[in-house]
Amino acid sequence: KRVSIANHKVVLELGCGNGTGTKLIKKHFRPKHLYAIDIDPKQIELATKKVRDKSITFEIADVVKLPYKSESLDLVLDFSVLYHISNWKEALKEIKRVVKPGGQFILEDLSIESLGHDFGKVFRKLFMHTYKRPYKRNEFFEYLKAQGWHLTTRRVFSPLGFEYFIV
């Protein structure tokens, strides 16, 4: 199922970093308002300087404690953020809380399977995690279902033996 971009008036990007992805989201999804968060103040500072658009709000925020009202967002986007979070189940509960009924959560992320291959092992050492074991892909999918998400698409990609998935 393709994402209907016309229905996404208020969008949240998790882990916006320096704003590069934020610019792409604005261009391709054309939301009325885009919130872009990161836990790192330095990244928010870079993004604010890089992207100047009154319809985009950059904020320092933690995914496990989102500063938005319940059922206030049309779409939440995650591009490889949740696997960094040791308390990923709480993060998913928070995301579920802020998404409107009928809203969407689209993510591209990694799992322990991603980090078990040769390139993945190197990647894991470069980007030290604060916890020992990221979630297993099926564990993640099952938790989403248990939280009431309807999974319309699940795809696993393996470029160069490095797995990632899209939901």
Side-chain angles (χ1 to χ4, degrees):
K1 180 180 174 183
R2 299 200 110 213
V3 176
S4 172
I5 59 176
N7 296 328
H8 297 111
K9 294 179 177 84
V10 183
V11 174
L12 170 63
E13 176 191 14
L14 305 176
C16 65
N18 68 9
T20 300
T22 311
K23 287 170 58 172
L24 292 171
I25 291 167
K26 179 66 179 178
K27 178 181 175 184
H28 294 288
F29 286 83
R30 295 184 298 278
K32 184 176 180 180
H33 195 85
L34 172 57
Y35 293 97
I37 66 166
D38 203 291
I39 199 164
D40 184 347
K42 290 178 186 172
Q43 293 299 320
I44 294 298
E45 184 180 333
L46 288 170
T48 303
K49 289 177 183 174
K50 183 177 193 172
V51 182
R52 299 199 184 269
D53 185 321
K54 292 181 181 184
S55 69
I56 298 173
T57 302
F58 289 102
E59 298 179 294
I60 300 166
D62 189 339
V63 179
V64 298
K65 197 172 185 178
L66 294 170
Y68 308 106
K69 292 180 183 177
S70 296
E71 301 181 354
S72 62
L73 304 171
D74 297 297
L75 172 65
V76 175
L77 297 163
D78 162 23
F79 300 109
S80 297
V81 173
L82 287 179
Y83 85 100
H84 289 289
I85 300 171
S86 60
N87 200 356
W88 58 271
K89 288 181 179 180
E90 286 302 312
L92 287 173
K93 285 180 187 176
E94 266 296 274
I95 293 163
K96 179 77 171 160
R97 180 186 67 78
V98 300
V99 173
K100 291 178 181 177
Q104 293 181 308
F105 174 39
I106 300 172
L107 70 116
E108 172 274 325
D109 222 320
L110 305 171
S111 63
I112 190 65
E113 294 90 350
S114 309
L115 303 172
H117 301 289
D118 292 338
F119 182 71
K121 288 177 184 175
V122 172
F123 186 82
R124 189 172 181 184
K125 285 182 182 177
L126 290 173
F127 299 98
M128 300 277 292
H129 288 280
T130 57
Y131 59 105
K132 294 193 186 281
R133 187 188 70 80
Y135 49 74
K136 291 182 181 176
R137 191 170 38 248
N138 284 336
E139 172 187 22
F140 187 83
F141 294 156
E142 290 305 315
Y143 190 77
L144 283 172
K145 283 192 239 174
Q147 290 299 307
W149 291 100
H150 173 68
L151 306 182
T152 57
T153 304
R154 283 186 287 181
R155 295 186 63 192
V156 177
F157 298 90
S158 299
L160 306 172
F162 184 66
E163 293 182 3
Y164 67 96
F165 64 91
I166 296 176
V167 179

